[in-house]
């Protein structure tokens, strides 16, 4: 009763039938719908909070599903504090916590680079970097530009504080994702 809860719903009359379906199923099987859900959660969620004049001091990402929120936060911090991307990149990880609780690779969303690029295009101007640079933040180091964007890797790169839900899970996650370090 002390914490406000805000829900995002695309099933409103003003939206197209396709857009209205985005929030109709949790964990949609279709990659296009899943990507739209994660964009809505991350970028849409941060935009909704900003429109209500709610400034996040700390962002907690539960799994990689909301990792796109960190991209929107970068843009918001650049505008709100009149700083460049390098400075915003100093702030974001220090104010972001990432918790993972899925100990199997199949539970971590990845999206084909070509599928993600149109969604990231509007961020090019806001962040003053190319879509390929933005994509690289969610790709393993040394991978090619066409490698899929990993929501886990994006969330991990945007967070200085990372944890699992238990000591055992933390050990499993470190082994699973050792290639990221």
């Amino acid at each position: 009763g002390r914490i406000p809860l805000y829900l995002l719903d695309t099933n409103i009359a003003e939206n197209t039938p396709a857009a209205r379906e985005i929030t109709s199923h949790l964990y949609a099987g279709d990659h296009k719908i899943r990507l739209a859900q994660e964009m809505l959660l991350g970028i849409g969620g941060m935009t909704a909070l900003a429109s209500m004049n709610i400034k996040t001091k700390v962002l907690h990402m539960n799994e990689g599903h909301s990792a796109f929120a960190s991209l929107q936060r970068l843009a918001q911090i650049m505008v709100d504090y009149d700083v460049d991307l390098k400075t915003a990149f100093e702030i974001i990880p220090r104010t972001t916590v990432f918790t993972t609780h899925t100990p199997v690779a199949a539970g971590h969303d990845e999206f084909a680079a070509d599928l993600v690029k149109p969604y990231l295009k509007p961020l090019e101007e806001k962040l003053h970097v190319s879509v390929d640079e933005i994509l690289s933040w969610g790709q393993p180091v040394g991978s090619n530009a066409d490698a899929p964007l990993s929501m886990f890797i994006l969330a991990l790169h945007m967070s200085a504080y990372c944890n699992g839900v238990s000591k055992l899970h933390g050990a499993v996650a470190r082994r699973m994702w050792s290639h990221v370090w």
Side-chain angles (χ1 to χ4, degrees), residues 36 48 57 62 119 129 160:
K57 293 178 183 164
N62 181 29
Y119 286 95
V129 294

Side-chain angles (χ1 to χ4, degrees), residues 22-31 33-35 37-38 41 62-63 65 101-102 107 109:
I22 293 170
T23 57
S24 68
H25 295 86
L26 185 60
Y27 301 120
D30 181 283
H31 267 57
I33 294 174
R34 188 76 187 126
L35 176 58
Q37 289 176 333
E38 295 191 8
L41 176 62
N62 181 29
E63 264 326 330
H65 309 305
H101 56 80
T102 304
D109 290 326

Side-chain angles (χ1 to χ4, degrees), residues 5-32:
L5 173 66
Y6 302 101
L7 303 174
L8 299 172
D9 189 357
T10 60
N11 188 13
I12 58 173
E14 296 84 3
N15 284 342
T16 65
R20 292 179 76 163
E21 288 297 311
I22 293 170
T23 57
S24 68
H25 295 86
L26 185 60
Y27 301 120
D30 181 283
H31 267 57
K32 289 178 183 177

Side-chain angles (χ1 to χ4, degrees), residues 137-158:
W137 303 335
Q139 296 169 324
V141 174
S143 62
N144 65 44
D146 293 330
L149 178 130
S150 163
M151 297 300 284
F152 181 93
I153 293 173
L154 179 60
L156 189 64
H157 283 162
M158 296 295 179

Side-chain angles (χ1 to χ4, degrees), residues 74-171:
L74 278 172
Q76 288 173 341
I77 284 174
M78 289 172 69
V79 169
D80 291 350
Y81 299 102
D82 192 28
V83 297
D84 62 7
L85 180 62
K86 183 179 178 186
T87 303
F89 252 120
E90 293 291 321
I91 297 167
I92 291 296
R94 289 179 170 97
T95 60
T96 304
V97 178
F98 172 48
T99 300
T100 179
H101 56 80
T102 304
V104 293
H108 298 278
D109 290 326
E110 289 188 343
F111 299 104
D114 287 342
L115 184 62
V116 179
K117 283 181 180 184
Y119 286 95
L120 298 179
K121 192 78 173 149
L123 290 171
E124 271 186 325
E125 188 174 325
K126 292 177 182 179
L127 300 177
H128 310 293
V129 294
S130 71
V131 166
D132 287 335
E133 176 70 17
I134 298 168
L135 271 173
S136 74
W137 303 335
Q139 296 169 324
V141 174
S143 62
N144 65 44
D146 293 330
L149 178 130
S150 163
M151 297 300 284
F152 181 93
I153 293 173
L154 179 60
L156 189 64
H157 283 162
M158 296 295 179
S159 308
Y161 305 98
C162 306
N163 59 56
V165 292
S166 69
K167 283 185 179 183
L168 176 59
H169 183 267

